[in-house]
Amino acid sequence: MKVVKFGGSSLATGQQVNKVINIIKADPDRRVVVTSAPGKRFAGDIKVTDLLIQYATQVQQGSDYQPTVTAISDRYQEISDYFELPATTLTLIQQKLTALATTTFSDDDHLMAAFKAHGELLNAILLAAVLNQQGIPAKFMDPRTAGILVTGQPNDADVLPATYANLAQLQPQDTRLVFPGFFGYTPDGDIYTFARGGSDITGAILSRGLSADLYENFTDVDAIYAANNHVVDHPAVIQKMSYREMRELSYAGFSVFQDEAIIPAVQGQVPVNVKNTNNPSAPGTLIVPSQFVFNPASPITGIASSNRFSALYLHRYLLNKEVGFTLKLLEIFRRYNISYEHMPSGIDDLTIIFDRSKLDSATIKALCNDVRQTLAPDYLEWIDDYAIIMVVGEGIAHNIGTIGKVIDSLTEHNIAIHMINQGASRISIMLGVQSKDADNAVRRIYQTFFQPSEVTNQ
Ligand SMILES: Nc1ncnc2c1ncn2[C@@H]1O[C@H](COP(=O)(O)OP(=O)(O)O)[C@@H](O)[C@H]1O
Ligand SMILES: N[C@@H](CC(=O)OP(=O)(O)O)C(=O)O
């Protein structure tokens, strides 16, 4: 049995949904289907999830939300009209959409989560109706009925282990089960969404919970490339990669697969196949355990970059001798309820790297003051503009000189490296650079490893 997840770009229009129907039809093993909300139809378009965020904000602020409701409803209507569905499905969708504005929520975060989840919820109802109308028996599955239980934050949920026991009770038969991605329910019955891009997580949870043979993740590119295709022209295709390579690359910017989504797949040892809805016969990229991947001839599998970071740099002489210094620092972070991403250190220096998207300016100011007062560093600097480059490959640990080649490719082009961290995972090299240099750094490293003849000719 296969779980198939379709991303927002695959469900953006009636024409796209038609391709999805053909993909489901082509393989009777594709019995569990996960939907995203309708995504962008063209460059500059707005995803339904973003329209729902706008709707939620307008309701919270008491401003006119009607045009937004119409814009969202039109997206579902476009698909419904394409298949000439009877009016009942669209009416149901419109009722659920409109009812949100008058529903009471315990606070703004719960309201936001419930609004956002409706993008996938309504699309799953619609897709199930389209499948039935096309002669493919299908049933909409509410995550509440299926027992997808979550905890954590309303807009950044974590799956609860009980989910897997609940899903094991489901027996997918010939009727295709259509699940909305992106959200689950708390044991108290509240909707919590996963992080953005989280329909990938739902697909992985279902793959593990239902012991799928394969998790197919359909998107709008032929494969996962060795570098972001918006940064490098026609990058090489990755045919096969390991779970941990995917985890590191998606964390550091390969947005094609959400970075937390690999975890349930690893736990269930379900292979993942990323494929193209617009070209389903292309083999795509297969993501599997490490032992099936290692290729001594090519140390690097991919190069990712992300500008979403900031760093706190701290210098104090004899830091290495001071017992409990890092503990005090971590206690400050806990007081502010802040998690950090990385903490590379020297003898007298420490850099703490944060995900900037999780911090606001007031918190940063208060945090820096607290660190100054509690730890009296000789020097403290908040570096707002920080990018991380991640060079990833199972072969790195076995190839002497890889790090030297990475550094040379940057220094030869005057790209300053603020931090290098190799070792912890043994399959990646992490570099800190200024955001303005990030794309260029990826291009240079890519050329060194994937187009060496072009480097020599420059
Ligand atoms: N290394 C990469 N390989 C392939 N796609 C990538 C990579 N890095 C970033 N992307 C982008 O990810 C996009 C697909 O992800 P996303 O927009 O979330 O799709 P979906 O709508 O299917 O969820 C691609 O169109 C591509 O631009
Ligand atoms: N619709 C949600 C969840 C998701 O996974 O979407 P997509 O498959 O379009 O990345 C979002 O935009 O975050």
Side-chain angles (χ1 to χ4, degrees):
M1 188 275 291
K2 294 174 186 168
V3 170
V4 268
K5 179 256 170 178
F6 294 95
S9 52
S10 304
L11 296 165
T13 62
Q15 208 180 7
Q16 286 300 96
V17 174
N18 199 34
K19 294 178 189 170
V20 166
I21 301 293
N22 289 331
I23 289 168
I24 296 171
K25 228 188 240 176
D27 186 346
D29 272 353
R30 291 177 176 143
R31 293 216 291 273
V32 175
V33 178
V34 180
T35 66
S36 279
K40 292 185 183 182
R41 294 160 291 186
F42 43 83
D45 194 17
I46 307 177
K47 292 174 100 173
V48 163
T49 306
D50 292 308
L51 287 171
L52 284 159
I53 292 171
Q54 187 177 303
Y55 178 20
T57 309
Q58 287 164 339
V59 170
Q60 283 162 350
Q61 293 171 343
S63 49
D64 179 15
Y65 53 75
Q66 205 47 55
T68 311
V69 173
T70 306
I72 298 168
S73 171
D74 285 352
R75 296 296 307 268
Y76 294 100
Q77 176 151 17
E78 184 185 337
I79 298 168
S80 176
D81 288 352
Y82 182 94
F83 291 98
E84 298 176 2
L85 285 190
T88 43
T89 307
L90 192 67
T91 307
L92 176 70
I93 287 172
Q94 284 165 339
Q95 279 166 356
K96 284 183 178 290
L97 191 59
T98 317
L100 280 170
T102 49
T103 307
T104 308
F105 295 95
S106 52
D107 61 31
D108 282 356
D109 289 340
H110 285 80
L111 180 148
M112 181 58 80
F115 274 59
K116 270 160 51 194
H118 274 67
E120 344 300 281
L121 180 88
L122 304 178
N123 221 16
I125 293 174
L126 185 60
L127 184 65
V130 173
L131 281 165
N132 280 310
Q133 187 239 27
Q134 298 288 307
I136 307 167
K139 188 175 155 199
F140 164 75
M141 286 297 293
D142 188 343
R144 195 199 307 249
T145 320
I148 302 187
L149 292 175
V150 293
T151 183
Q153 304 298 317
N155 292 284
D156 191 8
D158 299 312
V159 66
L160 280 169
T163 300
Y164 297 111
N166 296 337
L167 291 174
Q169 306 298 314
L170 287 179
Q171 299 286 330
Q173 304 291 338
D174 290 342
T175 302
R176 319 284 173 130
L177 301 181
V178 184
F179 283 85
F182 197 31
F183 72 97
Y185 287 86
T186 64
D188 290 339
D190 290 325
I191 288 182
Y192 278 20
T193 65
F194 298 116
R196 289 301 301 264
S199 297
D200 289 343
I201 303 177
T202 305
I205 292 169
L206 289 167
S207 301
R208 175 182 163 190
L210 298 166
S211 304
D213 301 306
L214 185 66
Y215 171 22
E216 290 181 314
N217 189 292
F218 280 89
T219 182
D220 64 349
V221 277
D222 273 353
I224 299 178
Y225 303 116
N228 185 340
N229 52 313
H230 297 294
V231 175
V232 169
D233 281 340
H234 306 296
V237 159
I238 303 173
Q239 287 172 343
K240 211 192 248 187
M241 67 200 295
S242 70
Y243 290 132
R244 47 188 201 159
E245 285 176 331
M246 184 74 258
R247 165 85 177 133
E248 302 236 2
L249 287 165
S250 55
Y251 169 84
F254 278 17
S255 54
V256 58
F257 195 70
Q258 213 275 354
D259 70 293
E260 294 171 32
I262 205 67
I263 296 163
V266 176
Q267 290 163 339
Q269 291 289 291
V270 183
V272 183
N273 193 186
V274 173
K275 283 175 74 81
N276 192 351
T277 294
N278 306 314
N279 184 14
S281 59
T285 297
L286 199 59
I287 310 164
V288 289
S290 312
Q291 66 266 32
F292 302 114
V293 168
F294 180 56
N295 173 6
S298 93
I300 303 298
T301 299
I303 307 143
S305 76
S306 173
N307 287 341
R308 72 175 193 280
F309 299 99
S310 283
L312 182 68
Y313 169 69
L314 200 148
H315 173 84
R316 188 164 127 169
Y317 283 118
L318 301 177
L319 197 88
N320 60 324
K321 283 192 165 179
E322 191 164 330
V323 176
F325 185 90
T326 320
L327 182 64
K328 284 185 206 154
L329 190 64
L330 294 180
E331 273 167 355
I332 298 173
F333 297 162
R334 191 169 57 179
R335 271 209 298 284
Y336 288 85
N337 199 21
I338 294 172
S339 62
Y340 73 89
E341 304 293 312
H342 313 281
M343 196 187 293
S345 64
I347 320 169
D348 301 316
D349 310 82
L350 201 58
T351 302
I352 307 106
I353 298 164
F354 299 94
D355 185 334
R356 182 68 172 86
S357 60
K358 293 181 185 159
L359 298 174
D360 57 54
S361 305
T363 309
I364 294 168
K365 202 170 164 197
L367 176 79
C368 290
N369 283 338
D370 211 334
V371 172
R372 234 178 243 118
Q373 276 169 17
T374 314
L375 297 169
D378 297 323
Y379 182 76
L380 184 84
E381 185 185 353
W382 179 261
I383 307 164
D384 211 40
D385 161 35
Y386 205 87
I388 280 184
I389 311 291
M390 198 80 96
V391 183
V392 178
E394 289 284 343
I396 288 180
H398 306 272
N399 277 269
I400 297 165
T402 307
I403 195 162
K405 279 163 90 176
V406 170
I407 294 168
D408 287 349
S409 15
L410 301 188
T411 48
E412 275 164 21
H413 293 92
N414 290 324
I415 299 172
I417 304 170
H418 294 308
M419 180 273 294
I420 303 176
N421 190 6
Q422 183 189 11
S425 80
R426 289 170 54 84
I427 65 156
S428 66
I429 299 165
M430 193 194 325
L431 303 127
V433 299
Q434 270 190 292
S435 295
K436 71 171 176 52
D437 290 330
D439 285 355
N440 199 17
V442 170
R443 281 192 282 269
R444 296 304 174 186
I445 300 168
Y446 181 86
Q447 275 176 355
T448 300
F449 288 94
F450 292 88
Q451 301 165 322
S453 56
E454 292 187 24
V455 175
T456 333
N457 294 338
Q458 272 179 7

